[in-house]
Amino acid sequence: MNVLSAAILAVIQGLTEFLPVSSSGHLVLGEAILGADAFKNSIAFELVVHLGTFLAVLVVFWKDILNLIQVFATRIIKPAQWSTEFSENSEFKLSVLMIIAMLPAGIIGLLLRDQISELFSKPFMVSTALLVTGSMLLATKYFPRADKPIDLKKAILIGFAQALALLPGISRSGSTITMALALGIKQEQAARFSFIMVLPLIVAATGLEFIDLLEVGISSSEIVVLIIGLLISFVVGIFSLKWLLQLLRSGKFHYFAWYCYSIAILGLFYF
């Protein structure tokens, strides 16, 4: 992979990680079109661009993340008070629900890791999955706005929506935010829950990729490409996430459905 291809794929990752259009699906299509498999260390590249978008979430939501960690850490060490804290402390309850919501994707991802990995070499299947993503997004246009709290049942349903997004072409943010909106959760709360709850999964996935990277190794000539991928995905990711939050507030989340349909149709014909 040359520097230009790395920069293009990093921009794609930075934009699509947060926008509801499937970053994994776009990377599959982008690599297929660019022939980016010429880059011998795709594991390392995927690791650094995901790290870049992970850091972008930390930057945008750093106050929320620090507060949740502090609240959770100071109360988890007192098991006798868990029930009371869960009922009375909204931040502790939210942190627990986020952990519960990430379990379906974590468990399914570990059990079916090899099978899911095989799908990343099938751009036609990814194009088909983008049609599903577009349909989910379009449905949000007809959801009534509400401000219901997130409870255990809603957290589990959002968690299974996230598990569906293990398939490349199914947007993680699209599926989780769509589910949250369908359950009557406010737009900003849906986005906050969606992006913060995925952080432990990103850390776990990055750790697994890092283990694979240790087995493959990395050459000094590839370091420049990796640094470019990291920086670009980080910067673009910050702007992408802030843009999505603005679109959610304005009720234009469903606009991305037409983009997904367009890419899907082009992909189906191309591949």
Side-chain angles (χ1 to χ4, degrees):
M1 183 186 298
N2 56 40
V3 172
L4 179 59
S5 294
I8 292 173
L9 291 176
V11 170
I12 291 174
Q13 169 66 20
L15 280 172
T16 59
E17 177 68 19
F18 304 117
L19 300 182
V21 295
S22 179
S23 62
S24 59
H26 275 69
L27 282 178
V28 171
L29 298 179
E31 288 176 359
I33 293 172
L34 293 171
D37 54 339
F39 182 59
K40 297 179 180 179
N41 211 331
S42 61
I43 293 176
F45 186 77
E46 291 178 6
L47 188 153
V48 298
V49 294
H50 279 93
L51 177 60
T53 49
F54 169 81
L55 295 174
V57 176
L58 294 184
V59 169
V60 175
F61 289 111
W62 69 271
K63 289 183 179 179
D64 292 317
I65 294 170
L66 284 179
N67 185 46
L68 286 172
I69 292 175
Q70 181 181 16
V71 170
F72 183 79
T74 56
R75 287 158 177 78
I76 197 66
I77 58 177
K78 302 175 182 178
Q81 300 178 17
W82 286 356
S83 178
T84 301
E85 292 290 347
F86 186 83
S87 301
E88 299 178 357
N89 190 304
S90 60
E91 292 298 290
F92 180 71
K93 179 179 181 179
L94 184 62
S95 62
V96 173
L97 292 178
M98 285 182 175
I99 293 174
I100 293 173
M102 76 178 187
L103 292 178
I107 294 172
I108 294 173
L110 285 174
L111 293 177
L112 302 178
R113 187 186 180 199
D114 292 338
Q115 291 86 340
I116 293 172
S117 296
E118 292 178 2
L119 299 177
F120 282 78
S121 60
K122 299 178 179 180
F124 184 85
M125 192 285 299
V126 170
S127 301
T128 304
L130 280 169
L131 291 175
V132 178
T133 294
S135 299
M136 288 191 297
L137 299 177
L138 187 59
T140 63
K141 179 181 179 180
Y142 306 99
F143 295 160
R145 292 199 176 193
D147 191 8
K148 296 180 181 179
I150 301 176
D151 55 24
L152 180 59
K153 180 182 178 180
K154 292 184 178 68
I156 292 174
L157 289 173
I158 294 173
F160 277 105
Q162 178 167 252
L164 178 64
L166 291 171
L167 302 175
I170 302 295
S171 166
R172 195 203 67 82
S173 63
S175 60
T176 54
I177 294 177
T178 295
M179 177 62 75
L181 295 178
L183 295 171
I185 299 170
K186 191 176 180 179
Q187 293 92 331
E188 293 86 345
Q189 179 75 340
R192 179 192 182 205
F193 191 87
S194 173
F195 290 121
I196 296 179
M197 79 171 184
V198 77
L199 294 181
L201 289 177
I202 294 178
V203 172
T206 301
L208 291 174
E209 290 180 352
F210 183 73
I211 293 174
D212 292 339
L213 177 60
L214 292 178
E215 297 177 356
V216 176
I218 182 172
S219 67
S220 57
S221 62
E222 295 169 340
I223 293 179
V224 174
V225 172
L226 296 180
I227 292 176
I228 289 173
L230 175 65
L231 293 177
I232 292 179
S233 63
F234 169 64
V235 174
V236 175
I238 291 176
F239 287 102
S240 172
L241 181 50
K242 289 184 176 180
W243 183 33
L244 178 61
L245 294 175
Q246 292 177 351
L247 289 173
L248 274 169
R249 296 188 192 102
S250 63
K252 298 178 180 178
F253 189 65
H254 65 279
Y255 282 16
F256 289 104
W258 308 114
Y259 171 81
C260 288
Y261 286 144
S262 300
I263 297 298
I265 292 172
L266 289 173
L268 290 172
F269 279 105
Y270 186 86
F271 296 107

